[in-house]
Amino acid sequence: MEVPIDSLGAANRRIYLLDDPSRFIPFDQAVQLAEARHGQLAASGSYTPPKIYAPYKGSTVGPSPSYTFSAAAVEVTCDPETGEVRADKVWIAHDIGRAINPRLVEGQVEGGVYMGLGEALMEEQVFRRGLHKLPSMLEYKSLSALEMPEVETVLVESLDPEGPFGAKEAGQGPLLPVPPAVANAVHDALGVRIDELPITPDRVLKALERQREGKAPRVGPERVPSVHFPEPIRVEPPEEWRAGIPGPGDYPDPASYTKSVGGSGR
Amino acid sequence: MMRLPPFRYVAPRTLAEAADLLAEHGPRAALVAGGTDLYPNMKRRQVEPPGVIGLRGIQELRGVDGDARQGLSLRANVTLAEVASDPRVAGAYPALARAAGQVSTVHLRNMGTLGGNLCLDTRCNYYNQSYEWRAALGFCKKRDGQTCWVATASPRCWAVSSSDTAPVMVALGARVRLVSVRGERVIPAEALYQDDGIRYLARQPDEILAEALLPPAEGLQCTYWKLRRRGSFDFPILGVAVALERDDGVVRAGRIVLGAVSSAPLLAAEASKLLAGQPLTAELIDEVAEAAWRGARPLDNTDLNYAWRKRMAKVYVRRALRELAGLPVQD
């Protein structure tokens, strides 16, 4: 294009002149030209979170410079005769901070949904005589393509002040709202609470039976196991942190968050 | 990664040659066609046959003959994919097409054969595991050990009949032809199975299952319902095969056979008798389903809860019969 580099912009699969967007070169063509001259184009980068440990127990794990948030809605169909639960559709919104590669993030979020559904509906650790009873991929069940529902993903970009380019995680965060959403959906459908995972058909039927008998329509642990919990160690934030604790006015206004719709996918 | 143990493989070209080889190799030899059951079990050292006789090259074991009017002959090497898609099977004996079409996955149905599925090894959570896992447990009655881990006080093995086609064959009143150097015999499919997790086939060690013979389909209505956790991969944890001979609305005779609730396909005799000479009404169906589930005694050696599987026998028999009666399967 024979123009200075800083007069160019890149968007919508084009490299274009900022002052006159009608002058452009398609992105894939630009890549081919560049690679023909320079060989493979590659870049790498890394981000290390700031060291935030302080002299108290547990400080090296747990605290994070920022946290993600996810919300999910799940639509299920339940069979009251067999107790079987099928997930028909999942809508999930994940606060990613900034989606550097939206398609990849969407894939990660869908993967998290898959993991959450597996936990909610099928995966179970059963032991007998010290041996895992379900030690292979045939016995330890996770969803096949036939059980995986359609997923609509919404990526919320809150532009985190700490993360690289404002990004946060999309690893296992998206899985977290899914099992409770499934349990809530089962309650909405049948009026029973399954308070333990996986939500298997026999547990659903047991809860329905309790419902018919006029008992609390719930299946799950009856009580917290009687464990002696020691007194918690209360630790004040270190002096050097107190000045830095943000007040309500220090965070970006939620109204300024941008939202990119990741689209639906399976 | 699990590997096969060393073994000798022979590939006869004719059924007679195969029968000779089998007699020569003795009772420890194994027959293999698609290999989808034998080889995984060999990799886990559940069986270690020194000699394996491959049947895939035998032309006489291929093909489907006949039609709905005279009955159908399916040779043992017909793949499950072929059984599921053959229009003669899907048209006149849909239960068999459905059963074959729901076995495992597409790839395995392309390799697995009807003969192999009919002779499928019985399965159990404590048996179908790697060598190391079984060794840690102390092995089991079916292989290398003394105890049945699902019923520790029991003198017998309770491994589960896990074939989808077997209960259908029994329900249809099919017959099977067994060939050996001593000659051949044709027996009812029901007589092929024995209620024992170890000696689960009446097939003698020197016999080869060559052919399945389906009776004429006039007046026949049949269906197969498979219960499993997922829509693919999984073995049945309950199978319901129903075959009815109907004259207008009236059932002349019916057979209900339950799979995966014992070591052999289980004919629900009481329930089946209730159908004879009756019109197939919703009330009769409820009565029959109530009778059918009582005979089922699944144990805790498959996926999911065994008490639940037993309850599902009633639900599935009812739904299968309602399907054949043209009623909505769920209220």
Side-chain angles (χ1 to χ4, degrees):
Chain A
M1 290 179 70
E2 293 174 346
V3 291
I5 291 175
D6 45 15
S7 67
L8 291 173
N12 297 318
R13 301 171 194 258
R14 294 172 175 186
I15 310 253
Y16 60 95
L17 195 59
L18 287 163
D19 292 335
D20 179 11
S22 67
R23 283 183 57 198
F24 69 93
I25 186 172
F27 180 74
D28 52 348
Q29 214 178 94
V31 170
Q32 281 169 24
L33 288 171
E35 289 195 327
R37 182 179 299 184
H38 301 290
Q40 171 128 68
L41 298 177
S44 70
S46 66
Y47 163 76
T48 310
K51 295 196 191 327
I52 55 172
Y53 38 78
Y56 65 88
K57 201 170 182 175
S59 73
T60 51
V61 296
S64 169
S66 55
Y67 296 86
T68 59
F69 304 89
S70 313
V74 177
E75 189 176 312
V76 302
T77 300
C78 302
D79 183 333
E81 259 196 310
T82 65
E84 287 166 312
V85 174
R86 187 183 75 231
D88 294 318
K89 188 153 178 184
V90 177
W91 294 260
I92 181 153
H94 180 69
D95 171 8
I96 183 57
R98 184 194 295 272
I100 294 172
N101 184 326
R103 192 177 279 302
L104 277 191
V105 176
E106 196 185 313
Q108 285 289 120
V109 173
E110 289 173 6
V113 168
Y114 175 86
M115 189 174 168
L117 287 173
E119 244 187 79
L121 295 171
M122 293 190 183
E123 296 183 39
E124 193 163 17
Q125 305 265 31
V126 185
F127 293 90
R128 186 171 169 198
R129 296 175 67 94
L131 289 170
H132 198 305
K133 272 187 81 179
L134 314 167
S136 82
M137 290 307 294
L138 178 62
E139 291 126 8
Y140 186 82
K141 306 290 182 189
S142 56
L143 279 68
S144 77
L146 298 173
E147 285 82 47
M148 182 62 184
E150 200 186 318
V151 181
E152 265 194 49
T153 306
V154 173
L155 299 177
V156 177
E157 293 186 301
S158 58
L159 306 175
D160 191 81
E162 170 54 42
F165 303 105
K168 297 194 284 186
E169 68 86 41
Q172 291 179 24
L175 95 85
L176 293 172
V178 175
V182 172
N184 284 337
V186 170
H187 178 257
D188 186 52
L190 298 173
V192 297
R193 286 244 169 252
I194 312 299
D195 284 338
E196 58 187 1
L197 299 181
I199 299 171
T200 54
D202 58 291
R203 287 178 174 145
V204 173
L205 283 190
K206 193 157 120 193
L208 286 170
E209 199 176 295
R210 294 174 62 86
Q211 188 181 60
R212 275 192 300 274
E213 292 168 358
K215 299 185 199 155
R218 178 188 169 269
V219 166
E222 294 300 315
R223 63 189 70 78
V224 175
S226 117
V227 173
H228 169 65
F229 293 101
E231 277 303 305
I233 301 170
R234 297 194 187 285
V235 180
E236 289 301 311
E239 191 56 52
E240 52 270 28
W241 283 21
R242 284 181 220 218
I245 293 175
D250 293 342
Y251 280 107
D253 181 355
S256 75
Y257 288 179
T258 61
K259 181 186 84 167
S260 77
V261 178
S264 61
R266 183 169 273 278
Chain B
M1 180 175 171
M2 291 199 266
R3 299 209 167 270
L4 288 166
F7 64 98
R8 197 163 159 261
Y9 180 83
V10 288
R13 288 260 172 240
T14 66
L15 193 49
E17 201 187 322
D20 282 337
L21 284 167
L22 190 55
E24 197 184 299
H25 276 72
R28 289 193 62 215
L31 295 167
V32 76
T36 55
D37 191 40
L38 180 70
Y39 293 141
N41 290 359
M42 283 174 70
K43 287 181 184 181
R44 289 184 290 249
R45 305 298 186 271
Q46 292 163 226
V47 289
E48 281 179 273
V52 175
I53 298 163
L55 302 173
R56 294 187 68 196
I58 301 176
Q59 284 291 92
E60 300 148 82
L61 291 179
R62 295 209 191 128
V64 178
D65 283 327
D67 57 42
R69 206 180 40 82
Q70 346 163 30
L72 225 53
S73 149
L74 298 108
R75 255 78 77 192
N77 278 4
V78 176
T79 66
L80 294 167
E82 286 165 351
V83 174
S85 61
D86 190 301
R88 290 165 290 186
V89 180
Y93 311 90
L96 183 59
R98 198 185 281 188
Q102 288 184 79
V103 175
S104 65
T105 66
V106 174
H107 316 81
L108 295 175
R109 293 195 289 274
N110 287 339
M111 291 296 291
T113 62
L114 179 62
N117 193 252
L118 288 174
C119 296
L120 195 77
D121 194 10
T122 53
R123 300 181 66 85
C124 173
N125 284 347
Y126 299 100
Y127 168 69
N128 291 84
Q129 302 292 1
S130 70
Y131 177 83
E132 289 75 20
W133 192 97
R134 291 185 292 112
L137 189 64
F139 302 106
C140 80
K141 210 179 254 303
K142 183 158 162 132
R143 172 74 177 171
D144 297 331
Q146 313 299 327
T147 317
C148 168
W149 293 105
V150 73
T152 48
S154 177
R156 60 161 281 185
C157 165
W158 291 92
V160 180
S161 165
S162 302
S163 161
D164 291 299
T165 56
V168 172
M169 288 300 199
V170 175
L172 290 174
R175 293 170 301 145
V176 294
R177 182 163 66 96
L178 300 163
V179 170
S180 73
V181 288
R182 298 173 285 118
E184 56 179 66
R185 55 184 182 129
V186 178
I187 59 172
E190 203 179 333
L192 180 62
Y193 301 105
Q194 300 178 151
D195 184 20
D196 182 78
I198 298 171
R199 280 161 298 279
Y200 57 96
L201 289 179
R203 187 200 85 150
Q204 296 300 306
D206 66 345
E207 287 180 310
I208 299 170
L209 191 154
E211 190 180 5
L213 300 154
L214 304 180
E218 181 173 337
L220 174 70
Q221 258 194 308
C222 59
T223 188
Y224 178 68
W225 282 57
K226 176 172 184 170
L227 179 67
R228 54 178 168 180
R229 178 117 51 161
R230 301 178 290 188
S232 186
F233 296 104
D234 298 339
F235 285 89
I237 56 176
L238 166 71
V240 171
V242 181
L244 306 175
E245 282 168 52
R246 277 179 91 180
D247 237 333
D248 277 318
V250 175
V251 176
R252 261 184 287 142
R255 278 158 79 87
I256 298 169
V257 180
L258 303 180
V261 294
S262 72
S263 299
L266 179 67
L267 174 66
E270 295 294 318
S272 302
K273 279 197 212 108
L274 288 172
L275 290 165
Q278 303 290 332
L280 197 57
T281 61
E283 293 74 32
L284 178 69
I285 289 172
D286 285 348
E287 204 187 321
V288 171
E290 185 64 45
W293 82 303
R294 299 205 174 284
R297 289 202 174 81
L299 297 178
D300 189 19
N301 56 354
T302 68
D303 185 31
L304 284 172
N305 179 286
Y306 66 102
W308 177 80
R309 284 162 60 212
K310 184 179 158 106
R311 287 179 67 173
M312 290 306 105
K314 176 172 164 183
V315 176
Y316 268 44
V317 168
R318 184 170 180 271
R319 290 183 180 183
L321 286 168
R322 286 175 73 96
E323 181 199 342
L324 294 180
L327 297 166
V329 294
Q330 270 177 271
D331 310 296

